[in-house]
Structure formats: structure tokens, C-alpha cells
Amino acid sequence: MSDYTPSPSFDFGAATGQGFNLPGGKSYLLRVAAWSALLVVIIYAALGTPIFKAFAAMIQNVIEMEIKLSGSDPDPAQVFAMMAPMFRAMGLMAVIGLLQMAVFAAAETAIYRNLFHTEDRGIFPLMFGMDELRVFGTRLVIGFILGGLSLVGYLGVVLIGALIFSLAAGLESGFLAALGGILIFSAAVAALVAFVWIAIRLAPASAYAVKDRVFNPFASWAPMKGLVWPAIGSFLILYVVGYFILSFVTMIIFFLFVFGSGIMGKLMRLELSDDVIPDFSVLADQLTSAGVILPLLIAIFVSLFLTLIWYSTMWALWGYLAKVKQTPYSDPQTWGPSGEG
């Protein structure tokens, strides 16, 4: 049973500010963002250092092979040995990506739990149960759908362009080439608009996974029929404002880290020459020392904290849209496979 009160109609101010007006109070979003950022930093700290050292080893392997071969072609075994550290790093990066997605799913679900069911677990608002699995699965499915659509749209525009320009070249028609350029541009714009429209219409599906506690990646398709354009306007406001604030603050944070940690001096002191193999293991040890790692983790935490606040405002927007009662075709009795879409 949900405890939330459906919004009577779409309100632009309420939609964009929903993240700071959750039932858990203004601190709830900050708690979600802070704990989520901390968990991701722990993941980075546990798996990031081996990745860095693996890439440092690969760079050293490349330089050693270049010097030892002296222009001759390497055999496959040498190439594979050279690339082995990168394969290890790629595996660890995949693990980091999945774990980060799980943490983000838990953060998003925590926003919806509080918005729809007024659940607040106190100091640590995160968990990972069935609701989180449904949100994780919903985001994964929608990601594959949108990725497939973007690929189809890109290939379609490229194919249209290739056909038109081939025909124009065969006929030696400048007019046809110019017309083709206009058509390709129009097709690209139309494909982009269609992609955004579909993406926004599917975006609140994860909110429905928590509101209705049913896995349905298309749950928002019918209810969003009359809300796409207001949703796009609200999303753009949150995205653009958040993006510029985050970019500016993150740039300052990492600028301070780079010049405060001495990392540039360590890199500049690395001696490179055509006949001497540099020891990247020493550099790797220096760059993974506590004096560099701790400031880096602090910089990453602050950046992630701000990023998750930004994301949470957009997740709250999807939650707001999932509780809006706008028009007759948004009646919950019409939602589902048989509803209009």
C-alpha cells in the first residue's frame, strides 16, 4: 500500500524541485548522495589501484618491446604478453561498472521508496533488495533499448547519406548533393527528437518499479502520453543547470588535487630516452602512495557526491511524473498493456 498523495496536475516548479521536497526532508537527498558516493569511492579504492598498476605495466611492456625489437615485427606471443595487463584491467573495470550501477540503483530506489512509501531507514538510507533489483533490471533493459535505437538511427542516417551522395556523384549533380545534405541534416534532427521523446517516455519506468513493485520496463509508456513535453522541459532545466554547476566545481576540485598532490612533478621527473627503459613501477608506486591516493579519493568523493545530488533531482522528477494525475488517459485504470500508447 502506497502512502504518497498523487499530484493533482503537473506543476513545473514542483517537478523540478521534487528532489528537495521529499517526505524524508531536505536532508534525505543529501544522505542518499553521501552514502552512495562513499560506497563508490570504496569500490574505486579497492579495485582502482590494481587497474592503474596494470596500465603502468602495459605501458612499460610496450616501451620494452619497442626497444628490444628495434623495428622488427613482434610475434603474436609477444603482443599478447604485452597486452595481458590491459586485459586484467578491463576485467576489473567491468566489475567496477557493475558495482557502481548497483549502488546507483540503490540510490535511485531510495529516492522512490521515500517518495512513494515514505520509507526512511535513518542515517543509512540504502539497501539492496527486490525493489533495487527491479530498478537495476529496468535501467538495464531501457539502456539496451535506447542503445539499439541510437545504433539503428545512426546507421539509418549514414545509409541514407551514402545512397544520396552516391547517386549525386553518379549523376554529377551539385543540386542533388546539396539537397541530400539538407535531407540528411533533417533526418538526423528527426532521429534525435524521436530518440529523446522515446527516452523521456520510458525514463519514469524505474519509478513505477518501486511504486507498483512490479518489473515492467514499459510501465511508464502509457501514463507518460500527455506528459512528454513538460517532462522534457523540466529535465532540460535540471540537466543543463546541474551540468554546468557540476562541471565548474569538479574542474576546481581536480585542479586543486593535481597541483596540491605533486602528481605533475612526479610525471615530469620521469626520464625518457630512445635507448633507456624507464621504470614505470616506481612511478606507479609513487602515484598510488597515501599522499596521492587520499587526496584523490577525497576529490572523487566530492565529485560523486555532487553528481549524485544532480542525479537524484532527476530521479525525483521521474518519481513526480509517476504520481501525477493529469488527464483521463492518465487514469491508472487504463495503464498497462491495454492502455493507449
Side-chain angles (χ1 to χ4, degrees):
M1 181 68 67
S2 299
D3 297 320
Y4 72 92
T5 302
S7 300
S9 61
F10 183 87
D11 184 299
F12 183 81
T16 54
Q18 180 68 85
F20 298 99
N21 293 285
L22 296 167
K26 297 186 184 301
S27 69
Y28 187 80
L29 181 145
L30 300 180
R31 279 181 279 142
V32 170
W35 281 109
S36 302
L38 180 60
L39 289 176
V40 174
V41 166
I42 291 172
I43 293 169
Y44 287 174
L47 300 177
T49 299
I51 290 175
F52 179 82
K53 288 189 174 181
F55 275 107
M58 187 193 70
I59 294 172
Q60 180 142 0
N61 289 346
V62 171
I63 294 174
E64 288 179 359
M65 190 175 71
E66 286 285 338
I67 293 175
K68 291 177 180 178
L69 289 174
S70 300
S72 60
D73 294 330
D75 60 50
Q78 288 176 302
V79 175
F80 184 81
M82 176 193 72
M83 300 294 289
M86 189 188 72
F87 296 142
R88 292 196 299 271
M90 290 173 63
L92 290 172
M93 290 168 66
V95 172
I96 288 177
L98 287 173
L99 291 175
Q100 179 173 293
M101 287 176 61
V103 173
F104 279 26
E108 183 177 3
T109 305
I111 297 295
Y112 299 145
R113 282 179 183 275
N114 188 250
L115 181 60
F116 296 127
H117 309 297
T118 62
E119 293 184 21
D120 188 340
R121 299 174 60 83
I123 295 296
F124 186 76
L126 304 178
M127 62 176 294
F128 202 88
M130 288 305 300
D131 284 340
E132 287 75 13
L133 281 173
R134 282 189 285 266
V135 169
F136 184 92
T138 300
R139 284 292 174 217
L140 203 59
V141 171
I142 291 176
F144 280 121
I145 292 172
L146 296 180
L149 288 175
S150 63
L151 180 61
V152 169
Y154 174 79
L155 293 177
V157 171
V158 170
L159 180 60
I160 292 171
L163 290 173
I164 291 176
F165 285 123
S166 295
L167 181 61
L171 297 175
E172 298 182 350
S173 172
F175 173 77
L176 184 58
L179 181 61
I182 295 173
L183 290 174
I184 293 168
F185 177 77
S186 301
V189 171
L192 178 61
V193 171
F195 177 83
V196 171
W197 188 83
I198 293 171
I200 293 294
R201 196 160 175 178
L202 290 174
S206 57
Y208 283 95
V210 179
K211 183 173 79 74
D212 300 330
R213 288 180 163 151
V214 174
F215 176 70
N216 181 4
F218 299 97
S220 63
W221 186 260
M224 280 291 292
K225 183 176 181 180
L227 296 169
V228 174
W229 297 114
I232 290 176
S234 300
F235 174 77
L236 286 176
I237 291 294
L238 291 173
Y239 184 88
V240 171
V241 172
Y243 177 81
F244 280 106
I245 292 175
L246 181 65
S247 298
F248 179 73
V249 176
T250 301
M251 180 181 65
I252 294 175
I253 291 170
F254 282 95
F255 178 85
L256 293 174
F257 161 72
V258 168
F259 287 93
S261 64
I263 189 172
M264 290 301 296
K266 292 179 174 65
L267 291 173
M268 294 297 292
R269 285 194 295 270
L270 184 66
E271 296 182 1
L272 297 175
S273 65
D274 293 336
D275 55 353
V276 177
I277 300 174
D279 188 358
F280 280 93
S281 62
V282 174
L283 177 64
D285 290 337
Q286 291 176 337
L287 296 181
T288 54
S289 63
V292 174
I293 289 297
L294 288 179
L296 175 60
L297 291 178
I298 292 172
I300 292 174
F301 171 80
V302 175
S303 177
L304 280 169
F305 175 65
L306 295 175
T307 300
L308 281 155
I309 290 177
W310 179 36
Y311 284 2
S312 293
T313 61
M314 291 184 280
W315 293 333
L317 169 63
W318 308 139
Y320 177 87
L321 290 165
K323 67 174 185 170
V324 165
K325 185 177 181 181
Q326 171 92 346
T327 55
Y329 51 71
S330 298
D331 189 334
Q333 295 180 356
T334 69
W335 298 356
S338 60
E340 289 187 20

